[in-house]
Amino acid sequence: MLEPRPYADWLHSEVFPPVVVVIGSEAAKARVQKCNGLSLAELFAPFGGRFQTISVTAQSLERQVSIDNLRFRFADADSASQPSATQADQVCHSAVDACSAQTAALEPRQALEPPSPWYQRWRAAMLRSLRWSEHEALDQPAAALLVVLSKEPDPVLLLEQLLHSSHMPPLCTQGVLDPVPARTAVLLHDLSDPESPGQEELAQKLERVKARFTPHLALAVQVSRGGPDFTDPEVEDLFKGVAATRTTPPPPPEPGAQASAPSAPTLQGARLTKEDLRVLAQAGTDIVVKSAVPWLEKQLQQLEAQISQNRKGFRNQLKYLWRKPRDEKTSEKGASGGDGHSDDSGSVYPLHSVEGQMRLAGDVAFHLRDYEAALGYYRSVVSDFKQDRCWKHAAGAYEMWGLCTYITHAARSEWSRCMESAYEHYLQAGCGRHAMRAVALHQAMVSDVREAAQRLIKVNGELIDSGLRSALILEQAGQLYCSSGSIRKGAFHMVLAGHTFNKLGFKKLALNSYQAVCGQYTGKRWFHITDHFQFTMARQAFGLGSINESLELFLKLLNTFSRAEKRVGVQADREQTYLKEFFFVLKHWVEKNCQAGETKSVDLQIPSIDPVVRVFLPSEQQAASLPVVGDAAAPVVAAPVAWEGLGEKLIKTLSMEDKLELQWRHRQDARVFESLRRTIAVDAAVTVELVLSNPMRVKLELRQVHLMGSLKENDSKNDLPGSLEFLSEDVDLGPLESRTLRLVARPKREGLLCITGVTWIIVEQVCCQRPLSIKGPRLRNTLEQRSSRIGIYGNDTRLELKVRAQLPQLSARLEGWPRQTGAVPSAVGSSVGYPEDPPQTPELVAENVLQGELISCSLVVSAKPGSCPPQSLRLTTSHPNFLAFQAPEDLGADIAVEQSDEVLSLEGSLGGGELRFPVLLRADQAGQHALRICLLAEASGSEGPRSERRQWITLEQQLTVCAGLSLTARPSPSHRDEDKLVFVCTMENRSTAPIEVSQLCCVTGSEEQVLQEYASNGAGSMVEPGQQAQLLLSLKRPTIASESSALKTARARLLRASHASLPTKQLQGFAGSSGSRSGRHGSSGSVAPTADLLAEWRLGKRSGEAFALRVALDRLESAPCPLDLHLLAAESASLEPRLLVPVTLRIRNASSLGPVSFYFVADSTAEVAWLGCERSEVIELSPQACHTATLHAYLKSPGVFNLNRFRLFVVGMPASAGSVPASEQAPLAFAFPFERLIHVT
C-alpha cells in the first residue's frame, strides 16, 4: 500500500503514463529489429524519463505545475490496440511464470508480506493489457514520432506519407482520440550500415526535413556505433526490462509450415553503445519537452474553451437541464452482465461530443498533474454517463475521480466510495477485467488491512474465475489477513491459493504458499494438516526438479512421527505411502549426489531414540533394571548398602574418582559425571544400552546398526585411526515396536574414547547418523541459570572413557545361587564380566528360600586371557550375616591371605587363572533382600594415579526369604542340680512343609555344646506347618574358655554377623526372645552372661539353622519385674457348643528383698472371652511365695489362639536403688511376651 505521493508517481510511471506514438517506415522497422533486436518504440522506450530524469514546468489552464520526474511511454502504432482477453491471460501467465522462475524461494515471513513479486508482475501485465480502452482518453497520443532511415532515397516523401491519419492508432481513426498530435520527424542514421549516407548528406537531408516540417520538431539520431558483434551488458539489461513489457505474445507457427533451423535471435540492445544511449536520451528529452508537453498544454486550453462554449453560461445550463439520454441502441453492450472477459464495446462519445471532450480534458489535466482541474471534469461528466446508462464510461470516470481524490488527500470516505462505485459499474457493464483493475488500484491505496482483505474475498466471489486471477486474489487476501493479525484466517486463504496454484500448474507458487503458512500450524497439534502440507510440498518440490528440497520436506514429515505428543490415528496405508514416496525420492537423490561406493547420510529421526542412554562397563552389573522376582508380598527389610560404604571397607581412604564411581553404581545420579570420567581397559567391551522405538504403523528395517565415535590420544585432539572396533547388528522394528539394543565398542589402544552417536543404513548408500548427546543436570546456582527458559545444563562425560593398558580385566559370577520361583532362566543377574564369558546356569531350586536355610555356592573370579594380572584382590559383602566367604583352596604359596569377619584379601601375583571362592549363604531374615558383593582388583605399576589401575566389580543379587523355623528360649535354674540350666525352647514352623529338628546346640564364647533333652510335651522333633513344639533342654553351666580355631569357620562368622545385626536394646538388656519383660522400668546397667542357641533342621535335602541369640544364663537381681508368671492349659481342644478351657495362673514373687503387692487383669478379645475374675483384688506375696488362680476361656471358633492375655499391675514393692516407687494410683504394668497356644479343631 502506497501513500498519496508515491501512489501518484506509480500511476504516472507504470499505470497511466502519457503516450508518444512511434510510426516508422518498413525499412526502419526491419533494420532496428535486425540489428538491435528491438522495435522502434522499444528503442526509444527507456528514454521517456527512465534512463534520464526529465523535469518540466507545465502550464495547466491558469496555473503552472512543476513536474520533477516526468515519464512518457513510447508505443508502436501497429500494436496500439487492446489485446483480447485470451491474449491478456497468456501475457499474465507468462509474466507470472517468468517471475516465479526468477524469484528465489521466499522465507515464510517474506512470503506473508503483501504484495508478492508475482502479484506485482501480474498486476503490471494486467494493467498494460487494458490500455487503449475506448471509454477513456488516458492513452491519447501527445506526440507522433515519425521515423525513417537516413539511407532511404526520399525521406521527406516517406514522412509525408506517415503523416496520414491511417497510420495512427485505431482509437484515433475512430474519432475517440485526437488523431492530430504533435509531430516529430526523426532521421535514424545507422552507423553500422555501410549503405548509410555520410555526415554531409545526412545534414542536407535533415535540413530538407526541417524545412518541410516547420514548426514541428525534426531530429537526426545516429545509433549502432558498435560493431556487428558488439554487446554491452549494461545496455542489454536496460532493454531487457523494456522487452518484458510486451503486451502481445509471439504468434504461433503457421500450421503445415516446414520446420527450419531457427536463427539465433538478436540480443536486445545489440550494437548500441553508451554514446548511443546518450544520443537517444537527448532525443527522447527533446521529444517530450519540445513536442509532447506543449501539445498537452495547448490541447487542454482548446478543450476548456470548447467545453465552456457548450456548458457554461445561463443558456447552456438550461439546455443541459433538458438534456435527454442517448439512444439505447448506441449504448455499450453488457448491461445485462458478462463473464468478466467480454471485449469492450465501441464508444458512444466521440471527440466532437461534449462528454468526450470533458473526458479527454480530464485525462490531459491528469497527465499534467493538475488533479483539481481533472477532478472537476470527472465529477461533471460522470452524471452524464450515468444518465445515458453508459456504465462503463461512468465506471471509468468514477475510477479517475477516486484516484484524484486520494492523491489530493481528500476524505477517505470519498475516494473509497468512488472506487467502490467504479467496481460496481464495471460489473454492471460486464467488464470484469476493468473491474479487477479498479480493485487493484484500490488495493494499492493505504486503507484498513482487514477491509482490503474482505474486499478481495468479495471480488473473488463475484468475479467467477478459477484461474490465475483467483489464485492471486486468494494469496493477496491471505497475506492481508496475516498482516492484520488474523493468522488463522490468513493461513486458510493461503492454503486455498496454494491449492489453486497447484491445479493451474504453478507448482513453485503453490509450494511457496504452503511453506509460508506451514509454520503457523506446527505448534498447534494439528498433525493431519501439517502432514498434508509437508507431503504436498515434498511432491511439488520433486515435480519442480528440486530433489534436495523434496528430500528435506519428506524428512520433516517423517520426523514429526518421532514426537511424543503425536498420537493421531494415521492409517497404516497412509504411512506406507509416505515411506514409499520418501524412498523413491531418496533413490533419485542417491543417483544424483552419490558416486559409486560413496555413502551419504540423511537426518531421519525415526525410529526415535529414548533420551535415557545407559553405559555399562564389563565390571558393572547390567541387570539393574530387571524386576525383582519371587514372593512379591514379602516385605523389603532394608535399603541396599551403598557401594561407597563397601568400598571403604576395602580401602581406608578412597580417591575422589573411586568415590564417584561407587556413588554412580549405587544411586545412578548423573551429577557424578560432571567430574567423573570412567576408566576401562584396552580391548574391553563398552556397552551402550539404548531404546529404539518405531512410532509408525509400518515395519522399519535397519541394517548394520552400530555406534560411532573416536579414540584420541591422551591430552590431545588427534584421532587415532583404526583403533576402534564397533560391533554391528541388523534390527527389524515392527509397527509401534520398541526394542532395547546393547551396542558394543572396543578400544584397541590407550587414549580417550568418545562415543558420539549411533548409525544405521536405511537404503543402499544412505545411512542415518543420530548423535548421542546426554545433558547434564540443570544448573540453578545463578539467577541467569534459573531464569533461562531453555535451561542451562552441566557437562555429562559418561560417553567419554579413559582407556588404560595397566588395568585388570576380571569377571565374576556366582554359581549355585538359588533360583527363585518364577525367575526367568538367565544368568545375567548372577554374573558380571565380559560378553565373551559363557553364561553359567545356576542350580534350580523350585521352592523359595526359608529363613535360616544354608546353601553352599561359589564366587568364580576369572581374568580375561592376555589381560593385565591383578596384584591384589579384596572382596566384601553388604550382608555378612547372609554370606560368608572362604579363601580358595588351590592358592600358591606366594599369595598372602588375610580374612576378617567382613573382608577377604589376597595379596600377590594372582596370574591369569580362575579363582573359586567358596561361599556359604544363610538366609538370616525373612523378606526381600538386595545382597551386594564388592570386589576390588588392583594392578601393579607406578605411572598415573592408582585409581586408573583399579577395577571395581559390583554384583547385586535379589533374594526373597520366606518364614521358616523360629526358635525362642527362656532359661530357668534347675532345682535338682545347681550346675545345670534348663531351657524352655519353643520352635514354631511358619513354612508350608513339615520341618525336622535334628539337634540343638549352645554356643558360649567360642565353645559349642549339644543340649540334652530334659523333658518334652510330646510334640516330638517333627514340627508341622503352623505348629509349635516345646522342648525342655538342660545344659551344664559353661565356663569361659579361650578361643579355639575350630570356630574360625564360615558358620561362626555368620553367627557373629547375626549378633552385629541385632538391635542395640536387645544387646544390652536381659536378652532372649522369651525371657525379656516389658515395663516402665529400664535395666539397672548390669549385663547378664548370655549364650546362643542353634537349632539344626532338615527339610528333605535342604538344611538350615535357627538362632536364638543372646539368651541370658542368669537372672539379674534388679530385674524390671519382681514377679514370674506361668500359665497351665491344654494344648488342644475339640470345638463344642459351650467349650470352656480352664487356664491356671501361677504367679511367684521372685524377689528376695521383700513382699510385693499386685493385681492381674485378663483382657478379652474377639476370639477369646474370659469367665471368672477378670480383674483380681490386690494380692500381697512374700518372697518366693506363689499365688494360683483359675479362669475359663470361652472359645467360639476353631483355630490357634494365644491364651497369654494377662497383665500384672504392681502397686507395692521393696524400695531399691534407682527404682520408681509404685502405688495404687500409679501402678507399674507388666506384660510377659511369651505365647501359650491352643489348637481348637
Side-chain angles (χ1 to χ4, degrees):
M1 296 183 179
L2 302 175
E3 294 292 337
R5 179 63 182 270
Y7 186 80
D9 294 339
W10 174 65
L11 287 179
H12 290 290
S13 61
E14 302 293 338
V15 184
F16 303 126
V19 181
V20 174
V21 175
V22 181
I23 306 173
S25 64
E26 296 299 327
K29 295 177 186 179
R31 183 63 187 178
V32 172
Q33 183 65 42
K34 177 181 178 181
C35 297
N36 307 118
L38 302 168
S39 67
L40 290 175
E42 291 172 354
L43 179 65
F44 288 93
F47 310 104
R50 289 172 176 80
F51 180 77
Q52 178 177 313
T53 303
I54 300 176
S55 299
V56 298
T57 301
Q59 180 70 33
S60 174
L61 299 180
E62 298 179 357
R63 55 174 295 189
Q64 289 186 344
V65 181
S66 178
I67 305 175
D68 296 331
N69 187 15
L70 180 62
R71 290 190 179 183
F72 269 74
R73 174 172 64 90
F74 289 85
D76 286 310
D78 297 340
S79 60
S81 60
Q82 191 174 103
S84 65
T86 303
Q87 292 177 333
D89 288 343
Q90 292 179 1
V91 172
C92 292
H93 275 71
S94 301
V96 173
D97 248 340
C99 182
S100 63
Q102 298 170 3
T103 306
L106 301 178
E107 296 294 331
R109 178 177 295 181
Q110 296 176 345
L112 291 178
E113 293 179 357
S116 59
W118 38 87
Y119 173 80
Q120 292 178 331
R121 191 73 64 87
W122 170 84
R123 182 180 62 185
M126 182 265 297
L127 293 175
R128 288 195 301 269
S129 69
L130 294 177
R131 289 169 180 169
W132 305 104
S133 296
E134 76 280 358
H135 73 287
E136 57 191 11
L138 290 168
D139 298 303
Q140 166 65 49
L145 188 62
L146 310 179
V147 182
V148 296
L149 290 178
S150 61
K151 70 177 183 178
E152 298 190 46
D154 191 356
V156 175
L157 178 62
L158 290 176
L159 290 174
E160 289 179 349
Q161 293 176 356
L162 295 178
L163 281 174
H164 195 272
S165 61
S166 62
H167 295 286
M168 292 296 289
L171 292 181
C172 295
T173 59
Q174 296 171 6
V176 178
L177 302 179
D178 192 343
V180 188
R183 311 292 176 85
T184 301
V186 174
L187 284 176
L188 189 63
H189 185 69
D190 190 350
L191 295 175
S192 65
D193 190 355
E195 298 180 0
S196 297
Q199 293 296 327
E200 295 182 359
E201 185 179 355
L202 175 64
Q204 295 175 1
K205 288 185 177 182
L206 180 61
E207 290 299 328
R208 290 199 299 269
V209 171
K210 286 183 178 180
R212 176 66 182 83
F213 278 85
T214 302
H216 298 293
L217 184 64
L219 301 172
V221 179
Q222 303 183 32
V223 295
S224 299
R225 289 176 170 81
D229 299 329
F230 177 82
T231 55
D232 189 334
E234 295 183 4
V235 176
E236 185 180 355
D237 293 340
L238 176 65
F239 285 100
K240 273 184 179 180
V242 175
T245 60
R246 295 171 180 169
T247 58
T248 304
E254 296 181 3
Q258 295 182 354
S260 60
S263 59
T266 305
L267 297 177
Q268 288 90 0
R271 302 189 184 189
L272 297 178
T273 64
K274 293 183 179 178
E275 179 64 21
D276 294 334
L277 300 185
R278 187 189 64 79
V279 171
L280 289 170
Q282 183 60 44
T285 303
D286 291 343
I287 294 169
V288 170
V289 174
K290 298 179 180 180
S291 181
V293 173
W295 185 88
L296 290 176
E297 296 173 344
K298 180 180 178 182
Q299 185 72 7
L300 182 59
Q301 296 289 344
Q302 293 177 356
L303 291 172
E304 172 63 19
Q306 294 176 6
I307 294 170
S308 299
Q309 182 180 358
N310 293 322
R311 285 293 175 91
K312 292 185 179 179
F314 181 74
R315 180 179 178 182
N316 290 332
Q317 290 181 1
L318 288 177
K319 183 178 179 181
Y320 178 74
L321 289 176
W322 292 98
R323 178 180 181 275
K324 295 182 179 180
R326 297 295 179 98
D327 188 5
E328 293 184 0
K329 293 183 180 180
T330 61
S331 64
E332 58 184 333
K333 295 183 283 184
S336 59
D339 59 354
H341 292 282
S342 61
D343 294 335
D344 298 335
S345 60
S347 175
V348 296
Y349 298 106
L351 186 60
H352 58 80
S353 65
V354 179
E355 292 83 358
Q357 295 173 358
M358 294 178 67
R359 174 63 202 238
L360 178 59
D363 293 342
V364 171
F366 179 80
H367 287 320
L368 294 176
R369 314 291 173 92
D370 189 356
Y371 303 113
E372 289 79 3
L375 185 59
Y377 291 124
Y378 294 139
R379 284 175 175 170
S380 300
V381 77
V382 70
S383 58
D384 296 345
F385 293 151
K386 292 175 66 177
Q387 185 180 13
D388 296 338
R389 301 178 63 84
C390 295
W391 308 122
K392 188 174 182 180
H393 287 75
Y398 270 124
E399 186 177 23
M400 298 307 297
W401 182 355
L403 298 183
C404 293
T405 52
Y406 179 74
I407 295 173
T408 56
H409 299 274
R412 175 183 174 183
S413 58
E414 183 177 358
W415 54 260
S416 179
R417 176 180 57 83
C418 290
M419 298 305 293
E420 291 290 345
S421 299
Y423 168 72
E424 293 173 358
H425 283 76
Y426 274 134
L427 281 185
Q428 193 171 2
C431 303
R433 294 165 57 201
H434 288 83
M436 190 63 226
R437 183 183 75 173
V439 173
L441 295 175
H442 194 182
Q443 291 294 116
M445 300 176 181
V446 176
S447 60
D448 184 76
V449 179
R450 186 182 295 272
E451 290 182 3
Q454 294 174 351
R455 185 185 310 121
L456 287 176
I457 298 303
K458 175 187 175 183
V459 170
N460 189 56
E462 293 177 346
L463 297 179
I464 306 301
D465 181 16
S466 59
L468 180 60
R469 181 175 66 189
S470 176
L472 292 170
I473 288 177
L474 289 171
E475 181 191 43
Q476 182 79 352
Q479 293 172 339
L480 292 172
Y481 273 126
C482 292
S483 300
S484 66
S486 302
I487 303 297
R488 184 173 175 180
K489 186 176 291 188
F492 173 74
H493 287 90
M494 289 293 290
V495 172
L496 291 180
H499 181 67
T500 309
F501 279 133
N502 190 31
K503 290 194 302 182
L504 296 173
F506 293 94
K507 295 186 179 298
K508 189 171 182 179
L509 300 186
L511 181 62
N512 179 80
S513 299
Y514 284 128
Q515 286 179 337
V517 298
C518 183
Q520 305 295 335
Y521 299 94
T522 301
K524 298 183 179 180
R525 303 174 62 87
W526 292 355
F527 299 112
H528 286 292
I529 296 178
T530 55
D531 288 355
H532 172 72
F533 282 163
Q534 300 290 353
F535 183 63
T536 305
M537 290 189 296
R539 299 185 68 179
Q540 289 171 350
F542 184 79
L544 292 170
S546 302
I547 299 180
N548 293 334
E549 185 177 1
S550 176
L551 180 62
E552 182 180 354
L553 291 169
F554 267 117
L555 288 174
K556 287 183 180 180
L557 168 63
L558 296 178
N559 289 343
T560 57
F561 286 90
S562 63
R563 299 176 184 174
E565 66 270 14
K566 187 170 183 178
R567 296 290 186 268
V568 295
V570 181
Q571 297 179 358
D573 56 347
R574 177 63 62 86
E575 296 182 358
Q576 185 70 36
T577 303
Y578 292 163
L579 284 177
K580 180 180 178 181
E581 298 216 11
F582 166 70
F583 287 129
F584 180 77
V585 173
L586 194 61
K587 179 181 178 182
H588 284 75
W589 181 77
V590 170
E591 294 175 354
K592 181 180 179 181
N593 297 279
C594 297
Q595 300 178 358
E598 184 182 5
T599 301
K600 295 280 188 177
S601 63
V602 294
D603 185 21
L604 181 62
Q605 299 296 322
I606 58 171
S608 59
I609 300 178
D610 192 85
V612 178
V613 178
R614 308 177 69 185
V615 181
F616 294 104
L617 304 187
S619 59
E620 185 180 7
Q621 189 172 11
Q622 301 182 16
S625 60
L626 295 178
V628 178
V629 296
D631 188 4
V636 179
V637 176
V641 179
W643 291 116
E644 185 179 358
L646 297 181
E648 291 176 349
K649 293 181 182 180
L650 302 179
I651 304 177
K652 293 182 179 179
T653 304
L654 291 173
S655 65
M656 181 56 66
E657 288 193 357
D658 292 331
K659 286 183 178 180
L660 294 176
E661 173 69 25
L662 295 176
Q663 287 176 7
W664 163 248
R665 300 193 183 195
H666 175 62
R667 293 196 300 267
Q668 301 289 305
D669 188 357
R671 288 178 294 182
V672 302
F673 290 109
E674 292 182 8
S675 55
L676 172 63
R677 185 172 285 159
R678 308 176 79 182
T679 307
I680 60 170
V682 174
D683 202 33
V686 179
T687 304
V688 177
E689 181 183 276
L690 49 89
V691 179
L692 288 182
S693 300
N694 181 9
M696 305 187 73
R697 291 173 172 81
V698 293
K699 182 180 179 181
L700 296 179
E701 297 180 357
L702 312 179
R703 297 294 175 260
Q704 301 181 20
V705 183
H706 62 85
L707 296 173
M708 298 187 301
S710 61
L711 185 65
K712 303 178 181 179
E713 294 182 1
N714 295 326
D715 302 328
S716 174
K717 296 183 179 180
N718 299 326
D719 293 341
L720 301 174
S723 57
L724 265 178
E725 178 186 359
F726 298 110
L727 303 183
S728 63
E729 59 180 293
D730 296 339
V731 178
D732 292 339
L733 290 176
L736 303 177
E737 179 187 359
S738 296
R739 183 177 300 180
T740 301
L741 298 183
R742 287 181 174 172
L743 306 177
V744 178
R746 289 181 182 276
K748 298 300 182 180
R749 56 180 296 179
E750 287 190 344
L752 179 62
L753 172 61
C754 299
I755 299 175
T756 57
V758 62
T759 180
W760 56 77
I761 294 178
I762 52 176
V763 295
E764 186 178 358
Q765 293 185 281
V766 179
C767 67
C768 291
Q769 296 180 355
R770 304 285 295 278
L772 295 179
S773 57
I774 305 176
K775 290 183 179 179
R778 180 165 182 174
L779 304 179
R780 301 181 182 274
N781 298 328
T782 64
L783 178 61
E784 179 184 2
Q785 294 171 353
R786 292 191 296 269
S787 60
S788 175
R789 297 186 62 183
I790 61 175
I792 301 176
Y793 297 88
N795 297 325
D796 193 300
T797 59
R798 75 182 69 188
L799 294 176
E800 299 178 4
L801 301 100
K802 295 180 289 186
V803 184
R804 298 292 179 263
Q806 296 297 321
L807 185 67
Q809 299 188 49
L810 302 182
S811 62
R813 67 179 184 272
L814 282 170
E815 292 184 359
W817 190 264
R819 177 74 57 82
Q820 304 280 260
T821 301
V824 179
S826 172
V828 175
S830 61
S831 65
V832 173
Y834 301 91
E836 64 269 21
D837 293 338
Q840 302 294 325
T841 304
E843 181 183 354
L844 181 61
V845 179
E847 297 84 1
N848 288 323
V849 178
L850 299 180
Q851 182 179 2
E853 184 174 356
L854 295 174
I855 301 173
S856 296
C857 51
S858 300
L859 175 64
V860 182
V861 180
S862 57
K864 183 179 179 181
S867 62
C868 178
Q871 186 66 24
S872 65
L873 179 63
R874 305 180 187 93
L875 58 95
T876 186
T877 179
S878 60
H879 289 69
N881 56 330
F882 277 73
L883 297 173
F885 300 99
Q886 298 184 35
E889 297 178 356
D890 53 350
L891 291 177
D894 58 339
I895 298 179
V897 179
E898 182 180 352
Q899 186 168 12
S900 63
D901 287 345
E902 296 188 0
V903 179
L904 175 60
S905 177
L906 304 182
E907 297 287 341
S909 180
L910 299 177
E914 183 179 84
L915 298 177
R916 186 175 294 271
F917 294 86
V919 180
L920 180 60
L921 169 63
R922 180 185 179 274
D924 188 62
Q925 300 178 29
Q928 290 182 1
H929 304 272
L931 307 185
R932 290 186 168 184
I933 302 173
C934 183
L935 295 89
L936 173 62
E938 185 172 348
S940 60
S942 58
E943 297 182 358
R946 296 184 64 182
S947 61
E948 295 184 0
R949 301 193 301 271
R950 291 172 179 165
Q951 180 191 11
W952 293 94
I953 304 176
T954 54
L955 194 63
E956 180 175 330
Q957 288 298 124
Q958 300 291 334
L959 183 66
T960 301
V961 181
C962 298
L965 183 69
S966 65
L967 172 64
T968 57
R970 182 166 60 90
S972 178
S974 174
H975 298 287
R976 301 177 183 176
D977 190 350
E978 295 181 359
D979 293 335
K980 282 188 176 182
L981 284 174
V982 177
F983 291 94
V984 180
C985 299
T986 303
M987 294 170 290
E988 182 180 1
N989 184 1
R990 300 179 180 176
S991 68
T992 59
I995 295 177
E996 179 185 1
V997 180
S998 57
Q999 68 174 5
L1000 281 85
C1001 300
C1002 178
V1003 178
T1004 57
S1006 60
E1007 292 186 355
E1008 181 178 358
Q1009 300 181 15
V1010 179
L1011 296 177
Q1012 298 178 357
E1013 188 171 354
Y1014 184 81
S1016 177
N1017 62 353
S1021 60
M1022 182 66 70
V1023 185
E1024 297 295 331
Q1027 298 296 321
Q1028 286 185 343
Q1030 283 191 353
L1031 297 177
L1032 266 63
L1033 303 174
S1034 63
L1035 174 70
K1036 288 190 175 182
R1037 291 183 180 273
T1039 58
I1040 303 300
S1042 62
E1043 186 176 359
S1044 62
S1045 60
L1047 292 179
K1048 291 183 178 180
T1049 61
R1051 293 176 61 234
R1053 290 197 299 273
L1054 289 173
L1055 181 61
R1056 287 193 294 270
S1058 298
H1059 278 287
S1061 64
L1062 288 177
T1064 305
K1065 290 184 178 180
Q1066 201 162 344
L1067 289 174
Q1068 296 177 354
F1070 183 72
S1073 58
S1074 66
S1076 61
R1077 297 177 174 85
S1078 61
R1080 285 196 282 178
H1081 290 292
S1083 71
S1084 61
S1086 60
V1087 179
T1090 60
D1092 300 323
L1093 272 63
L1094 288 72
E1096 299 179 3
W1097 55 266
R1098 292 185 178 278
L1099 178 59
K1101 295 182 179 181
R1102 303 160 66 182
S1103 62
E1105 294 178 342
F1107 291 166
L1109 304 177
R1110 302 292 189 182
V1111 179
L1113 299 180
D1114 292 331
R1115 181 182 297 277
L1116 296 176
E1117 291 298 329
S1118 56
C1121 182
L1123 302 174
D1124 274 342
L1125 173 65
H1126 298 274
L1127 293 180
L1128 300 177
E1131 291 188 355
S1132 61
S1134 298
L1135 184 61
E1136 297 177 358
R1138 295 183 181 181
L1139 176 59
L1140 297 178
V1141 178
V1143 180
T1144 301
L1145 284 75
R1146 183 169 296 173
I1147 303 171
R1148 184 171 65 91
N1149 182 4
S1151 174
S1152 59
L1153 300 178
V1156 177
S1157 300
F1158 68 94
Y1159 64 90
F1160 66 85
V1161 174
D1163 296 329
S1164 297
T1165 62
E1167 298 86 4
V1168 182
W1170 297 100
L1171 301 179
C1173 182
E1174 295 185 29
R1175 185 183 187 281
S1176 69
E1177 60 184 0
V1178 177
I1179 303 169
E1180 182 177 349
L1181 291 178
S1182 58
Q1184 303 302 322
C1186 293
H1187 174 76
T1188 302
T1190 301
L1191 285 77
H1192 289 80
Y1194 175 63
L1195 303 174
K1196 299 176 287 186
S1197 60
V1200 179
F1201 305 101
N1202 183 15
L1203 298 178
N1204 184 5
R1205 302 293 182 181
F1206 297 94
R1207 289 180 295 164
L1208 303 182
F1209 294 86
V1210 178
V1211 298
M1213 60 185 297
S1216 61
S1219 63
V1220 179
S1223 63
E1224 292 189 16
Q1225 289 74 23
L1228 298 179
F1230 296 93
F1232 295 82
F1234 64 88
E1235 294 180 343
R1236 175 59 63 191
L1237 301 178
I1238 182 172
H1239 186 196
V1240 180
T1241 59

